[in-house]
Amino acid sequence: MAKRTIVAMPGDGIGKAVLPEAVRVLRAVDFDAEYVHGDIGWEFWCKEGNALPQRTIDLLEKHKIGLFGAITSKPKDKTEAELSPELKGKGFVYYSPIVTMRQHFDLDICMRPCVSFPGNPLNFVRRSRNGQIDEPKINAMIFRQNTECLYAGVEWTNPPKAVRDAFETHPKMKAFKQVAGEDLAISCRIFTRNACRRIVRAAFDYAKTNGFKAVSICEKPNVVRETSGMMLSEAKQIAKDYPGISVWDTNIDAMMMWLTKNPEDYHVIVAGNLFGDIVSDGFAGLVGGLGFACSANVGREVAVFEPTHGSAPKYEKLTPSIVNPIAMILSACMMLDHLGENAKAEKIRSAVAAVVADGKVRTYDMMRLTGGPDVFKLGAANTTQITDAIIAKL
Ligand code: NAI
Ligand code: MG
């Protein structure tokens, strides 16, 4: 395989602690790559009025593959206040660099695996019929449409007259006719047929490759008839190309209930942006939470791999760092899979599994401790130590 160039974007806070650990692991499995640094995050909003500078977009455009840590975003008042004085009042507007990156490169397919590692004290357990504790093996991949739905950003408080008039052509708007403009907020849930097809097909391909017999469409087509209905009808159509794989139509609310009862029954789940966000966080909570939740954002040309956690600002100043790098390391494994380096990805996952199963080296979250500088006294490993343990197992 030709040498790759990876755009490494640590971002803010603990992103700076976990990303270098993932690169160490990639080097340890001899992944043939070089890494170029990409600026992203709050620092660049403050200094340049842009959290995702054009030079970083150019790097991604050129090299196609990004590894990303996490960014910090802050409420509106702080956004203005922390902008450098010379940029204030010049019309700079803060946009989330992640959302911008997803939209700019049309990274429409988000994959979030939720796989339990045996021996992880954070795994989901339940009481079985005979009163014993039962720990099912969870292995689900959530396919979340990443660019549309309620996150498309088409929304208003006090919608302009033309918008309100257009909405009022719908009979159901009668119920809101008397509401004053400033008391009315509208956020649009937008689905397109092409995007539905792409996310559904990605899920079916995954099911086929991995031998799963069903794909769950996790929407709400009985109530949200147009958007969820489009996703479901496209899924039923696409299913015809995949003999032996059936479509399960599971409403999002029911899904959240089922995952607290029988999460092991679900392997491939597809949802729009909002429901996909919810169901993937729910599943992540069953397999170790934020320290284990990895993800891929995949478009036609560019793909970016990132842990789902944020920058955890309350821990960013702790040295050594206390946070769990596993979510970032597993995100790097998804990058290897994407690049066809599946054997290397599997090797790393096995090493992570071995460290988790051994239980000798654990970060504070795996010990259910409250984060802070005291965790080391209580036996927690730091970010580098657990990475060292993973590398030792390779
Ligand atoms: P967060 O994910 O940064 O942290 C929540 C809590 O989860 C932390 O305080 C910590 O207790 C725990 N945690 C997170 N990552 C961990 C790890 N690797 N190991 C161990 N424990 C970990 O979410 P929060 O506090 O809501 O947001 C903090 C900042 O991050 C905000 O500015 C937010 O906008 C941003 N954010 C960025 C995301 C991204 O870059 N993709 C995603 C979510 C939030
Ligand atoms: Mg989320």
Side-chain angles (χ1 to χ4, degrees), residues 112 144 151 277-278 280-281 308:
R112 292 185 167 191
R144 164 187 175 193
Y151 300 177
D277 197 2
I278 293 171
S280 59
D281 277 16
T308 63

Side-chain angles (χ1 to χ4, degrees), residues 14 18 68-74 98 290-291 306-315 322-325 327 364-365:
I14 66 165
V18 293
F68 166 52
I71 53 93
T72 297
S73 46
K74 299 189 185 181
I98 309 167
L290 288 174
E306 55 162 329
T308 63
H309 64 70
S311 61
K314 61 183 177 186
Y315 302 144
I322 67 167
V323 298
N324 190 346
Y364 83 96
D365 53 317

Side-chain angles (χ1 to χ4, degrees), residues 238-266:
I238 285 169
K240 293 179 186 159
D241 299 341
Y242 298 83
I245 304 178
S246 45
V247 175
W248 289 355
D249 169 15
T250 311
N251 282 347
I252 173 70
D253 45 352
M255 183 75 245
M256 297 310 288
M257 188 271 294
W258 287 119
L259 70 78
T260 65
K261 297 185 84 165
N262 303 322
E264 73 274 30
D265 290 351
Y266 295 88

